[in-house]
Amino acid sequence: MARHCTECGFVNDGGANYCQRCGALLARGESAGGAASTENGESITATYRIDEETGELVPLEIGEVTAHGPALVIRAGGGRVGESFAIDGERMCIGRRPDCEVFLDDITVSRDHALLIRRGDQWYLDDCGSLNGTYVNRSRIESHRLEEGDEVQIGKYKLTYHAR
């Protein structure tokens, strides 16, 4: 069975332990979406949040993250795989500025890279004229209505959109 690299997306041979393109370790028991599978074949997503007081990682179930609305979960990039961002309010900034709601600290990310905007009862991702572009499901976008499971790529980060 072919295995997708969570760092670069390359499709590797099923027996490979390392990506043939970028050399990243291919984790066992993971599927193309970055979610592990249970013995029953059900997909689960490992995620966490950072405790604001202690800075420690607090493990969460994806249902806890999306209990009050949609969320973005980092799937690859920057050593932050599994970090989640609950999406709330009317708009959220994604970028390299430390005060962005979704702060992605890497030179490949523009200071104000993209915006998550609520339009009616849907969430849209709008690129803010970033140099490297914003991608959803590997297609460069200007504006895109997000749906469950969409893969968002901003710089070297790949995030998955999870609806409630």
Side-chain angles (χ1 to χ4, degrees):
M1 178 177 184
R3 297 175 61 201
H4 288 78
C5 175
T6 58
E7 290 297 320
C8 72
F10 186 76
V11 179
N12 293 275
D13 295 331
N17 290 321
Y18 294 91
C19 178
Q20 296 163 344
R21 178 186 289 161
C22 73
L25 178 64
L26 299 173
R28 290 281 172 203
E30 289 203 346
S31 65
S37 297
T38 65
E39 291 177 5
N40 301 340
E42 297 173 17
S43 178
I44 58 171
T45 301
T47 185
Y48 67 88
R49 69 174 173 78
I50 298 175
D51 186 288
E52 292 179 16
E53 292 179 18
T54 65
E56 294 180 8
L57 304 180
V58 178
L60 300 169
E61 295 291 328
I62 193 65
E64 292 177 69
V65 176
T66 59
H68 301 289
L72 285 174
V73 177
I74 296 178
R75 193 174 67 87
R80 295 169 58 187
V81 172
E83 186 174 349
S84 61
F85 302 91
I87 301 172
D88 58 5
E90 295 300 314
R91 61 185 347 177
M92 291 177 65
C93 179
I94 302 172
R96 201 177 69 225
R97 269 188 311 107
D99 59 340
C100 285
E101 289 87 354
V102 180
F103 172 55
L104 302 175
D105 189 17
D106 185 73
I107 195 70
T108 61
V109 178
S110 297
R111 291 175 199 259
D112 294 303
H113 198 101
L115 276 176
L116 284 165
I117 299 177
R118 182 193 311 262
R119 294 186 181 124
D121 61 349
Q122 302 291 318
W123 280 96
Y124 286 77
L125 179 66
D126 292 353
D127 182 78
C128 295
S130 64
L131 181 62
N132 292 321
T134 301
Y135 295 80
V136 176
N137 302 324
R138 300 189 182 183
S139 296
R140 191 169 183 158
I141 59 104
E142 294 296 321
S143 182
H144 179 85
R145 183 176 57 84
L146 292 170
E147 297 179 15
E148 171 65 32
D150 277 349
E151 179 189 81
V152 174
Q153 183 166 355
I154 295 176
K156 69 178 182 181
Y157 293 92
K158 290 183 181 177
L159 305 99
T160 301
Y161 174 79
H162 290 283
R164 212 188 298 202

